[in-house]
Amino acid sequence: MANGLDLGWQLFPFAHEYAHHVQQVSGIMPRLAQVTVNAGSDRAKELGSRLELQADCVSGLVP
């Protein structure tokens, strides 16, 4: 514990951003950008939320 916080919670933002990098290099983010161009605003928000949730999920794989 560092300053009363678990190290995992301190690393979570870095792991989350690394997950976005994984989404980028795997083609998920570029494809999402193509899809959201023609999507309505509600659908674009939903897809953006799903992208963030996926990044949260992938970041949970960091020990």
Side-chain angles (χ1 to χ4, degrees):
M1 299 259 256
N3 299 327
L5 295 175
D6 181 49
L7 184 59
W9 284 109
Q10 292 177 351
L11 294 177
F12 179 80
F14 298 104
H16 179 89
E17 293 307 315
Y18 180 76
H20 283 312
H21 169 71
V22 170
Q23 290 171 325
Q24 181 67 35
V25 298
S26 68
I28 293 169
M29 289 179 106
R31 178 67 179 132
L32 182 69
Q34 292 173 346
V35 171
T36 55
V37 167
N38 296 322
S41 118
D42 287 341
R43 180 68 174 150
K45 285 181 187 177
E46 177 189 351
L47 292 171
S49 293
R50 287 175 180 243
L51 186 76
E52 291 300 322
L53 288 171
Q54 185 182 48
D56 285 347
C57 182
V58 170
S59 66
L61 297 173
V62 174

